[in-house]
Amino acid sequence: MSIRVQNIVKRFGAFVALDNVTLDFPSGELVGLLGPSGCGKTTLLRIIAGLEAPDSGQVFLDNHDASTADARERQVGFVFQHYALFRHMTVFDNVAFGLRVKPRRQRPGADEIRRRVQDLLSLVQLDCLADRYPAQLSGGQRQRIALARALAVEPRVLLLDEPFGALDAKVRKELRRWLRQLHNALHITSIFVTHDQEEALEVSDRVVLMNRGRVEQMGAPDQVYEHPATPFVYGFLGAVNLFHGRINGYQLQVGEENLPLAENGFQSGTEALGFVRPHELDIDTDLASRAGIEARVERVLALGAMARIELTGAMGEATCHYEVELPRERAAVLKLSAGQIVRLKPARIRLFASDSQSAEQAPYLPVEHMVGGYGENI
Amino acid sequence: MKSPRVLPGFPLALGYTLVYLALIVLIPLSAVFLKSATLSGEQFWAIISAPRVVSSYRISFGISLLAAAINTVFGLIFAWVLVRYRFPGRRIVDALVDLPFALPTAVAGIALTALYAGNGWLGQWLQLAGIQAAFTPLGILVALTFIGLPFVVRTVQPVLEDLDIELEEAAASLGADRWQTFLQVILPVLSPALLTGFALAFARAVGEYGSVIFIAGNVPLVSEITPLLIITKLEQYDYVGATAIAVVMLVFSFTLLFLINGLQIWTHRRHGRITG
Amino acid sequence: MSAHVAARWTTQTRRFEKNAATREPAWVKAALMTVALLFFGLFLLLPLATVFAEALRKGWQVYFAALAEPDARSAMVLTLLVAAIAVPLNLIFGLAAAWAIAKFDFRGKQLLTTLIDLPFSVSPVIAGLIYVLIFGAQGWFGPWLIENDIKMIFAVPGLVLATVFVTFPFVARELIPLMQAQGREEEEAAIVLGASGWKTFWYVTLPNIKWGLIYGVVLCNARAMGEFGAVSVVSGHIRGRTNTLPLHVEILYNEYQFAAAFAVASLLALLALLTLVIKSFVEWQGRQSMHTSQNISEVIQ
C-alpha cells in the first residue's frame, strides 16, 4: 500500500518539527528516514501512524485521506524504539494482543489465534520463547517480538522508529540483515527511522534525508551518496573535506592557492564551498608543484586496506583539518610521516554557493563529527 | 559481599541502629507477648473470644476492609485525574491529598463528627434522607475512609507517572480501544500498587483510634472498635485482658506487613523495567 | 538545542491529552474529574473547613481566649517539648540506619528495613500499651521506679517514649531509598581524596540528601505534635501537666466546650497545612533538580 504525506506542518511550541513536508512512499518499498536528532523524522512517522496529529496537512493511505482516522483504524504496524512490550504478558500474549482486542465479530477463534501467533513467532525465529516474559529476553529478541506483535494484525504499513537504536553494534548488524530479508519475504510498505547513515544506506530501497523539519533529498542509496543534492546531504552521508573559496573562471581560489574545476555553473567572483570526499583527495609530495593546496601531515593511520591521513592547513588566520583516504600501497609509496609538508589534489570537487540557505546548517567540520552517531532524536 | 569496606562508620551506624531499634521497638513489643504468655491457653482464648471482643473485631476489620476497598476505587480515580489531567488548582489538590497524614487524628475526629452530626453541614442533609452517619458504624466508615485516603493515591500515582506512554500507543496502534487498553495494559501494571495501597490503608484503618472514637458513638457490640476496647480494659486496670487483645492485633498487623513486603519484592523481581 | 529541549518538556506534560491514541472521550474525562473532585471536597476540603468554621463560630474573642487559657498554654509548651526531644532522636537514628543500610552490604538487610517500618503497622493504642507494660505500676520496672520515685508513665518521659515509637520510621524510610539510589561512588571518591569520614558525610552525603532529610523531619514533626492514641494511653490526662495539644482538644470536646476545642484544633490544622506546604515545596525542589539534570544530559546527547 502506498503512503503519501502532503504539506505536513507540525510545531511544538516555537519549535518547528515539520515544515511543509510532502513525500510519496511507493507501495512495497522499504524506505529509510534519515537525519540528525530533532530533524522531525520520528514526528513524521508518528503522524503517519496517527499517534500525533499534524497542525496542517494530510496523510493518504492507498490514496484515501486518512488524516482524521484514529490510530486504531489505520491498520498501521508500529514498532517502538524501546519496544513498548507489555511486561506483564508473556511473549505469546504480547503477540496475540492485537488479535484479542478485535471486536467480537472480527476476532479469530482461540485456535486460529494460537496458529497465527505460532507462525509469527517462527517467522521471527523465536517460537521457543512463547512462554517467557519480556524481562527475560535480550534486546534483540525483544525487538523481534515487537515486530511480530506489530505484524500480527496484518498491517497495511509497517513503521519502525529507530528499530535498532537501543541495541549494541553486533546485534544491530545482524538484525539489519534480518529485517532486509524479512521485508523481501513480506513486501509490506515499510518506513524506518534512523540517524545512522550506514544503516539507512545498507537496508533501504530508498532513503529520505531530513534536516530541520524539511526534506533535503529522496532517492536510492547509491544515488544520494554519489549525487548529494545539498551541502547538508553531502556532509551527513560520510566524511567530507571542505574548501572555502571564490570562483575564478575554471578555478576555485582558496586563499593564495587555486584548485582547478572540471565544470563550473557559477559566475566568477562568487563565494563558494567545495566539497571533496576523503577518497577523492590525492597527496603530492613534490613541493615544487603548484597544483593543489599545501597541508601538513599530522597523523597516518593504516587500518585494513585503506590508510587514513589527517592533515592541517592554514587558511588565513584559521587552521583547517583535512582527511584523506588512500589505498595502503599508495600510502606506502608516499612514505608519509608526521610533520611533513605536502600538497592536496582533489580529483573531483562538488561546488555549492556558500550563501545557499542550508549551507550554514550543514555539519561540515571537523570531519570526525560526521562519522559518529547523533544521539536520540525527537 | 566480601569486598573491603571503603567507607567508614559501618560498625557505629549499624550498632547504633540495632541498639536503638531494640530499645525503642523490639523489646517493648516483646513485652506484649511475654505478658500474654502468663496466661494459660484457655484463659487467653476466653479473653480474645468474648462476645464483645469478637464483635469489635467484626466492626474494626469489616469496616476497615470496606473503607480500604472504597479507597482503592476512588484512590485510583484520584491518582488518574492528578497524573493525566491538567486543571486549575491541581497542585493544591495534589498537596491536600496528604492532609489525612498531616492532620492530627483527634482533629480529624472532631471535624468529621461536627460535619456529619445531625446539625452539621452534611449531617443535616443526610438526616433529611433518613441516614444517620455520626455515632453509628457508618460514621466509623467515614473516618476510616478519610484516614486511608492517601495510601492508594500515593502508591498508584508514581507508577502511573512512570507508565510509558508508548505502551498505550502500542495498544492503540494494535487496535485496542481505550477501555481495552485500560483493562489489559494499564490495570495489570497498576495492580501491585493498588494491592499495596489497599493493604496499607487496611492496616492503618484497623489500628486507627483517634479519628474514630469521636464519631463512632462507641456502643458495645454495635460501634466499638478493637483499639478502644484495649483502652477500656486498661482504664479498668485489666492489663492482661488488654494485652491479649493487643496480641491478636499485632499478629494480624505483622502478617499484613510481611505480605505487603513480600508483594513488593515479588513484583520487583518479576517485572523489572524493560525499557531503555 | 535548548529550544528543542524546552519544546519537549511542554509536549510531554500534555502528551496524553493531546494525543488521540491515549486520550479518553470527553465525557469519560468529565465524569472522572467530577468523581475525583467530589470525593476531594467531601472527604478533604469540608472537614478542613469545618475545623476553622467551628473554631470561629463564637467569634475571635472566644477563639483567642481559648488559646490564651493557661491549660492550653501548658499543652502547647508540652507538645513543643515532646517534639523537640522525639524528632532529633529519630533524626539521628534515621541517619545512622540509612548510612548502614544504603552504603554497606550485610546479611539481613531486608529484614532490618522491614523491622524499621514495624511501628507504622502497630496501632497507636498498642504503642502506648507497651510502655505501660514496662514502666507502669504493674510493669517490669514498675516497683523499682516507684521505689526510686521516678515517674515514667503518666509523666513526660512516657509521652516522649510513645511519641518516639510512633514517629520512629519517618526519617529513616525517607533517607534509605534516597541514599540507595545515590549509590556510594561520591563518598568513595571523597575518601580516596583523603577526606575523613565525618567530612565526607558533612560535605558530600548531607548536601545530596538535604531535601529528603527535611521532608522526613517535617513529616516526623507533624506526627509527633499531632499524635493522639499512643500518648492518650500513657498520659493520664493530668491537666496542665501531661496534656499535649491533641489531648487538650479531646478534653475540651468531651466537656462540650466545642468552640474552644476547635480553636485549639485549628492550631493543629494550621500546623498540618504548614507541613503540607513545606512538603510540596520540598517535592518541587527535588523535581526541579531532577529536571535540570535531565535537561543537561539531553543537551549533552
Side-chain angles (χ1 to χ4, degrees):
Chain A
M1 189 181 71
S2 68
I3 306 170
R4 176 175 167 78
V5 293
Q6 197 169 307
N7 304 109
I8 297 280
V9 176
K10 178 74 183 175
R11 290 188 191 84
F12 295 109
F15 178 74
V16 182
L18 292 172
D19 186 3
N20 202 16
V21 170
T22 300
L23 276 171
D24 273 300
F25 300 93
S27 192
E29 283 197 356
L30 176 59
V31 179
L33 270 183
L34 176 64
S37 172
C39 74
K41 53 195 192 299
T42 294
T43 308
L44 182 61
L45 200 71
R46 290 173 57 86
I47 285 175
I48 295 172
L51 294 174
E52 203 93 60
D55 295 334
S56 64
Q58 285 140 315
V59 177
F60 294 92
L61 298 177
D62 233 0
N63 297 323
H64 290 292
D65 188 351
S67 310
T68 55
D70 197 281
R72 298 172 187 91
E73 301 156 1
R74 292 197 188 185
Q75 290 184 45
V76 162
F78 199 99
V79 178
F80 292 83
Q81 182 178 5
H82 298 293
Y83 329 120
L85 292 177
F86 306 129
R87 77 188 100 132
H88 59 280
M89 294 182 199
T90 61
V91 163
F92 184 93
D93 292 335
N94 261 286
V95 177
F97 181 86
L99 298 172
R100 288 178 178 161
V101 297
K102 277 180 191 289
R104 197 172 297 270
R105 277 177 291 113
Q106 299 164 29
R107 195 186 309 160
D111 290 340
E112 169 71 5
I113 290 179
R114 176 161 299 278
R115 193 187 58 74
R116 274 163 70 176
V117 173
Q118 287 301 350
D119 284 353
L120 280 164
L121 287 178
S122 26
L123 182 72
V124 300
Q125 300 152 8
L126 289 173
D127 1 18
C128 49
L129 300 179
D131 295 328
R132 297 269 188 96
Y133 284 93
Q136 299 165 303
L137 304 181
S138 73
Q141 290 171 334
R142 287 178 198 164
Q143 188 57 275
R144 283 191 273 169
I145 295 303
L147 193 60
R149 185 178 68 175
L151 290 172
V153 290
E154 295 175 341
R156 301 187 293 171
V157 177
L158 191 59
L159 306 174
L160 305 104
D161 183 10
E162 297 269 359
F164 315 122
L167 302 170
D168 62 57
K170 192 162 168 277
V171 183
R172 234 176 137 106
K173 217 158 178 123
E174 246 172 64
L175 272 185
R176 234 187 251 174
R177 201 170 307 133
W178 174 80
L179 175 69
R180 185 65 242 182
Q181 286 165 2
L182 191 75
H183 185 263
N184 289 345
L186 297 175
H187 271 294
I188 299 181
T189 311
S190 309
I191 306 176
F192 78 102
V193 154
T194 178
H195 59 260
D196 182 341
Q197 15 120 9
E198 195 186 319
E199 191 167 286
L201 296 176
E202 194 183 306
V203 179
S204 5
D205 295 316
R206 209 177 279 264
V207 179
V208 176
L209 271 126
M210 293 187 64
N211 184 34
R212 301 210 163 181
R214 289 168 170 275
V215 174
E216 296 270 339
Q217 189 175 4
M218 179 169 185
D222 53 341
Q223 187 195 349
V224 293
Y225 188 80
E226 291 300 326
H227 305 286
T230 66
F232 169 81
V233 177
Y234 216 116
F236 196 75
L237 295 179
V240 73
N241 293 290
L242 182 73
F243 297 93
H244 200 142
R246 185 189 299 264
I247 303 289
N248 185 7
Y250 277 81
Q251 282 187 318
L252 180 67
Q253 192 184 334
V254 182
E256 302 292 301
E257 327 242 18
N258 283 306
L259 294 173
L261 297 171
E263 48 185 335
N264 179 16
F266 293 103
Q267 283 193 334
S268 285
T270 316
E271 295 280 334
L273 290 168
F275 285 78
V276 183
R277 296 252 184 243
H279 66 265
E280 294 169 341
L281 274 176
D282 194 14
I283 290 180
D284 193 346
T285 48
D286 177 11
L287 292 177
S289 159
R290 293 305 306 151
I293 280 184
E294 196 179 270
R296 196 179 111 105
V297 177
E298 295 293 335
R299 221 154 92 90
V300 180
L301 282 164
L303 301 166
M306 302 299 279
R308 202 170 91 204
I309 300 113
E310 294 171 10
L311 309 100
T312 54
M315 190 170 291
E317 299 287 287
T319 313
C320 41
H321 298 262
Y322 301 114
E323 187 179 311
V324 176
E325 251 176 42
L326 296 174
R328 204 163 171 168
E329 302 75 41
R330 169 88 182 128
V333 171
L334 289 171
K335 291 201 182 70
L336 297 171
S337 58
Q340 193 177 349
I341 305 293
V342 297
R343 296 195 76 84
L344 291 175
K345 294 198 293 189
R348 199 177 86 147
I349 303 182
R350 179 72 205 258
L351 281 181
F352 294 98
S354 62
D355 57 350
S356 78
Q357 54 90 21
S358 50
E360 22 95 40
Q361 300 162 6
Y364 308 125
L365 291 174
V367 171
E368 289 80 7
H369 285 191
M370 266 162 280
V371 187
Y374 271 87
E376 218 188 332
N377 60 312
I378 189 169
Chain B
M1 206 66 181
K2 289 286 159 218
S3 64
R5 293 193 173 113
V6 183
L7 301 178
F10 179 65
L12 179 66
L14 186 66
Y16 182 76
T17 303
L18 293 176
V19 169
Y20 191 78
L21 180 71
L23 284 180
I24 299 290
V25 180
L26 299 182
I27 294 173
L29 275 179
S30 70
V32 174
F33 294 95
L34 290 174
K35 180 88 183 175
S36 69
T38 59
L39 291 165
S40 72
E42 283 148 47
Q43 287 169 314
F44 183 77
W45 181 251
I47 294 171
I48 66 166
S49 64
R52 188 171 164 189
V53 180
V54 171
S55 104
S56 86
Y57 300 147
R58 208 163 34 231
I59 293 159
S60 269
F61 289 78
I63 299 180
S64 296
L65 210 57
L66 195 58
I70 291 173
N71 276 323
T72 305
V73 175
F74 287 94
L76 173 60
I77 295 175
F78 217 114
W80 183 274
V81 167
L82 285 177
V83 172
R84 291 293 171 91
Y85 303 145
R86 296 287 167 266
F87 54 92
R90 189 184 64 95
R91 275 165 182 254
I92 295 170
V93 174
D94 192 5
L96 276 179
V97 166
D98 285 325
L99 186 70
F101 282 159
L103 195 69
T105 52
V107 178
I110 63 169
L112 289 170
T113 311
L115 195 58
Y116 285 90
N119 57 356
W121 287 347
L122 287 173
Q124 50 185 322
W125 299 106
L126 289 175
Q127 203 150 48
L128 281 181
I131 300 167
Q132 172 95 31
F135 317 122
T136 67
L138 184 60
I140 303 178
L141 180 65
V142 168
L144 294 182
T145 307
F146 172 82
I147 55 123
L149 174 73
F151 288 99
V152 174
V153 180
R154 290 304 187 221
T155 47
V156 170
Q157 209 176 2
V159 184
L160 204 51
E161 266 166 8
D162 259 12
L163 198 66
D164 201 348
I165 185 175
E166 285 193 352
L167 290 178
E168 288 166 59
E169 288 175 348
S173 80
L174 291 167
D177 65 32
R178 217 42 208 139
W179 181 239
Q180 285 172 321
T181 305
F182 177 75
L183 283 184
Q184 296 185 33
V185 176
I186 302 173
L187 203 56
V189 179
L190 295 185
S191 57
L194 276 171
L195 205 57
T196 306
F198 170 84
L200 288 171
F202 181 42
R204 171 74 201 265
V206 165
E208 180 58 18
Y209 172 70
S211 61
V212 179
I213 51 154
F214 295 98
I215 202 171
N218 307 324
V219 182
L221 301 173
V222 176
S223 60
E224 189 177 51
I225 55 168
T226 312
L228 179 65
L229 207 55
I230 294 178
I231 293 225
T232 311
K233 294 217 179 255
L234 272 180
E235 280 170 355
Q236 296 160 352
Y237 301 102
D238 180 6
Y239 288 9
V240 180
T243 309
I245 302 172
V247 166
V248 175
M249 292 194 69
L250 279 180
V251 168
F252 167 78
S253 312
F254 293 168
T255 313
L256 206 56
L257 177 71
F258 279 94
L259 282 179
I260 294 168
N261 263 309
L263 177 74
Q264 276 165 344
I265 295 168
W266 179 80
T267 41
H268 198 75
R269 285 207 185 131
R270 176 120 179 240
H271 315 292
R273 283 188 67 79
I274 60 155
T275 58
Chain C
M1 197 67 186
S2 68
H4 142 219
V5 170
R8 240 182 113 150
W9 271 110
T10 50
T11 52
Q12 271 192 351
T13 47
R14 290 172 181 260
R15 207 162 145 189
F16 280 102
E17 285 192 78
K18 281 227 166 151
N19 188 335
T22 51
R23 184 176 51 201
E24 288 83 42
W27 69 268
V28 172
K29 181 182 167 184
L32 290 177
M33 291 273 300
T34 311
V35 167
L37 292 180
L38 216 61
F39 197 68
F40 171 75
L42 227 55
F43 276 95
L44 294 176
L45 219 48
L46 273 182
L48 189 62
T50 303
V51 173
F52 294 102
E54 292 286 334
L56 295 171
R57 177 168 285 204
K58 293 193 175 154
W60 290 96
Q61 223 162 1
V62 177
Y63 181 81
F64 286 117
L67 298 184
E69 194 224 352
D71 286 349
R73 292 249 162 140
S74 65
M76 284 175 213
V77 172
L78 184 58
T79 298
L80 290 175
L81 176 72
V82 168
I85 302 171
V87 174
L89 279 177
N90 283 336
L91 169 63
I92 295 168
F93 162 73
L95 285 170
W99 183 262
I101 289 173
K103 304 291 177 188
F104 300 94
D105 292 317
F106 55 92
R107 202 183 284 256
K109 195 151 105 167
Q110 187 60 44
L111 179 68
L112 181 58
T113 316
T114 307
L115 287 178
I116 289 174
D117 269 349
L118 211 56
F120 272 163
S121 62
V122 172
S123 172
V125 169
I126 296 176
L129 168 72
I130 56 179
Y131 294 109
V132 172
L133 291 181
I134 293 176
F135 299 112
Q138 302 176 26
W140 290 354
F141 300 115
W144 184 84
L145 289 170
I146 292 169
E147 219 163 87
N148 290 280
D149 201 23
I150 303 171
K151 278 197 80 83
M152 292 285 284
I153 298 307
F154 309 138
V156 176
L159 293 176
V160 171
L161 273 177
T163 305
V164 167
F165 182 93
V166 293
T167 59
F168 185 85
F170 276 102
V171 179
R173 71 160 11 200
E174 279 313 315
L175 292 185
I176 291 169
L178 184 65
M179 281 167 72
Q180 271 175 336
Q182 283 171 350
R184 305 165 192 183
E185 275 152 22
E186 289 186 39
E187 281 83 4
E188 284 170 355
I191 297 290
V192 171
L193 289 168
S196 70
W198 288 115
K199 282 223 164 97
T200 302
F201 177 76
W202 192 254
Y203 291 110
V204 178
T205 311
L206 209 53
N208 277 336
I209 60 171
K210 179 174 58 181
W211 293 116
L213 193 72
I214 295 173
Y215 195 98
V217 166
V218 165
L219 294 185
C220 182
N221 179 63
R223 181 74 196 264
M225 290 191 172
E227 177 51 30
F228 177 72
V231 293
S232 168
V233 174
V234 294
S235 134
H237 303 277
I238 306 163
R239 276 200 171 192
R241 300 257 313 275
T242 60
N243 256 357
T244 59
L245 279 175
L247 296 175
H248 190 59
V249 169
E250 185 200 15
I251 289 181
L252 291 172
Y253 189 85
N254 287 342
E255 289 172 352
Y256 300 103
Q257 299 187 45
F258 292 136
F262 277 103
V264 177
S266 75
L267 272 191
L268 291 165
L270 283 176
L271 173 75
L273 287 178
L274 182 69
T275 303
L276 293 184
V277 168
I278 299 175
K279 182 175 170 292
S280 301
F281 176 76
V282 169
E283 279 169 347
W284 180 74
Q285 281 290 337
R287 226 170 262 193
Q288 265 330 78
S289 61
M290 199 180 77
H291 279 195
T292 315
S293 63
Q294 276 187 0
N295 277 351
I296 288 169
S297 73
E298 256 180 82
V299 170
I300 290 169
Q301 277 184 348

